[in-house]
């Protein structure tokens, strides 16, 4: 796989590509090469793949599960690249110190899957691309479980109520401008909570199962 002309990528896009494989039921193979060895140090063929994004105090990590085997790649210590052909997805994750490189190679991907894989670079507005952090936020939201999202939304809802109460106090005091400011804050936070909930399939399945139909 090292002869392929790989394209520089990032953890967010690589996570997206693994999610595409999982969603479309595509198996994945792995060749894990050490710098000192000509032959692969680890080889895994045609297994189901899963991926998660883990936040940590010392930096975030991309975790790739290949069947029963788990590989962790810290974002700060690795470079990411990819190649999407008309029927296949390839991903390379290389240690920045050159000690090893992991080559992930999908089985055949349907045209719909390839289209989804290539749709990662959607734009904000007319011409402003998503930043790496924005993309990783979206895919991190997808990994959260229902209880995690519920707690986050409950915390935001609490702040919404606090803002509404402050708006009412300032309105009674005749401070219309400040009251409007807290009303606007409440509306913004309400919208944020709504979008967070809709971005997580597990949350939607619990709160509004008919929404996905």
């Amino acid at each position: 796989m090292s002869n392929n002309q790989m394209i520089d990528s990032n953890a967010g896009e690589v996570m997206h590509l693994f999610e595409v494989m999982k969603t479309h039921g595509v198996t994945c193979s792995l060749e894990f090469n050490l710098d000192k060895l000509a032959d692969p140090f680890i080889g895994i063929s045609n297994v189901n793949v899963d991926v998660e994004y883990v936040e940590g105090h010392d930096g975030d990590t991309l975790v790739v599960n290949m069947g029963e085997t788990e590989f962790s790649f810290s974002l700060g210590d690795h470079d990411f690249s990819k190649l999407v052909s008309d029927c296949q997805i390839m991903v390379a994750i290389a240690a920045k110190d050159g000690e090893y490189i992991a080559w992930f190679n999908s089985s055949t991907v349907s045209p719909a899957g390839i289209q989804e894989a290539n749709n990662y670079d959607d734009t904000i507005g007319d011409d402003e691309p998503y930043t790496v952090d924005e993309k990783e936020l979206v895919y991190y939201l997808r990994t959260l479980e229902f209880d995690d999202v519920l707690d986050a939304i409950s915390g935001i809802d609490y702040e919404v109520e606090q803002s509404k109460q402050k708006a009412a106090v300032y309105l009674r005091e005749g401070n219309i401008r400040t009251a409007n400011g807290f009303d606007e804050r409440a509306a913004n936070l309400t919208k944020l909570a709504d979008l967070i909930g809709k971005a997580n399939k597990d949350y939607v399945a619990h709160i509004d199962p008919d929404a996905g139909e």
Side-chain angles (χ1 to χ4, degrees), residues 32-54:
F32 195 96
N33 296 98
L34 298 179
D35 181 50
K36 305 299 182 182
L37 300 178
D39 295 327
F41 177 68
I42 298 173
I44 299 176
S45 298
N46 298 320
V47 298
N48 292 327
V49 65
D50 200 358
V51 64
E52 59 181 318
Y53 187 92
V54 180

Side-chain angles (χ1 to χ4, degrees), residues 1 30-33 71 73 91-95 100-104:
M1 272 190 271
L30 165 71
E31 288 185 6
F32 195 96
N33 296 98
F71 299 90
F73 303 99
V91 169
I93 304 178
Y100 60 83
I101 183 168
W103 298 93
F104 298 89

